[in-house]
Amino acid sequence: MTDQAIILARRKAAVKALRFFKYKAVQSANNPFAFMFDPTGKKYASDVIALCRSNHQPHNANDIAQALEDSARTGFGNCNEKAAICYSSLKSDPYLTDGNHHVTMVGAVGYDHAYCVVSDSPLTPNMTMWRLGRLAMIVDGWTEDWYFPNLDFISRTYGSAITFPNPRQTYIRVKARDHQLTPAITIDTPNRKLRKTNNRF
């Protein structure tokens, strides 16, 4: 595949993954703007997320489908749950199934944040963003953002990969760039039957 074809495929997959949040609003308890004037709602969202996490660990490949289901059902989820939703979408996206793309859910080292990386090669622990490769793409479900951190401006223009981040997205991009990242999902499980829980909301 040409660079332009790879960029286009990844961009389409990212837009599709983030579209979930347009149709199914998933509010984050740790988003400083989501519950600015509603402390009771913020506490309720935190309690729901904590209860869901008591049944699964979003960074565990065996529970990735459960994290997705809980967030979709309750309407709440922080960066771990939103990364799980993006990871599931990206792993099963037909644009990314030709062997040229490696999808990894990652956690930032020394910074509490999770997001997804689509890269040319498998990731190793404690990598810097600069080592991800020129065509690597970040998909951040928490900020509903996607971007190519190592792609020069001309290539981004040529591949229709220019995004204009808002202040919150810009802040998280800088924080993620300044910290190493490590794979949080180590087992490829693109399809898994959803497991029922007894939670009631």
Side-chain angles (χ1 to χ4, degrees):
M1 294 180 72
T2 65
D3 286 359
Q4 184 182 17
I6 291 173
I7 293 169
L8 184 61
R10 292 178 181 177
R11 178 178 67 83
K12 287 181 177 179
V15 170
K16 181 180 175 184
L18 294 173
R19 191 176 297 143
F20 176 91
F21 302 112
K22 303 297 182 187
Y23 295 107
K24 177 68 176 180
V26 178
Q27 291 184 298
S28 298
N30 59 2
N31 178 349
F33 303 106
F35 298 96
M36 188 178 297
F37 304 107
D38 185 11
T40 304
K42 179 181 177 70
K43 184 180 184 316
Y44 175 73
S46 297
D47 291 344
V48 169
I49 293 170
L51 180 59
C52 289
R53 287 185 179 182
S54 69
N55 292 326
H56 65 78
Q57 174 50 253
H59 281 183
N60 184 319
N62 293 326
D63 284 330
I64 196 79
Q66 192 62 50
L68 187 159
E69 182 184 295
D70 287 343
S71 290
R73 180 165 44 84
T74 65
F76 298 113
N78 288 335
C79 61
N80 287 337
E81 288 76 21
K82 290 187 173 185
I85 290 170
C86 291
Y87 175 80
S88 299
S89 176
L90 294 167
K91 285 294 291 183
S92 60
D93 196 290
Y95 288 116
L96 305 182
T97 55
D98 60 6
N100 292 303
H101 314 276
H102 292 268
V103 179
T104 312
M105 182 173 159
V106 302
V109 178
Y111 175 53
D112 185 17
H113 192 47
Y115 51 95
C116 294
V117 174
V118 183
S119 57
D120 296 334
S121 304
L123 273 60
T124 57
N126 301 322
M127 293 183 69
T128 62
M129 198 170 281
W130 311 117
R131 291 179 52 212
L132 293 176
R134 181 172 161 271
L135 300 180
M137 179 182 69
I138 306 297
V139 182
D140 191 333
W142 191 65
T143 57
E144 298 181 29
D145 188 22
W146 63 270
Y147 58 100
F148 292 81
N150 301 327
L151 204 58
D152 61 90
F153 182 78
I154 299 299
S155 297
R156 279 185 286 158
T157 304
Y158 184 64
S160 300
I162 295 179
T163 58
F164 299 97
N166 61 39
R168 177 169 165 250
Q169 291 169 337
T170 300
Y171 175 78
I172 298 301
R173 286 187 185 192
V174 171
K175 293 288 285 184
R177 182 197 65 204
D178 292 342
H179 288 79
Q180 292 182 327
L181 51 93
T182 196
I185 297 296
T186 56
I187 305 171
D188 279 347
T189 55
N191 297 306
R192 178 172 171 269
K193 186 176 181 180
L194 295 181
R195 177 164 47 84
K196 296 295 183 182
T197 66
N198 294 321
N199 292 339
R200 295 290 181 267
F201 300 102

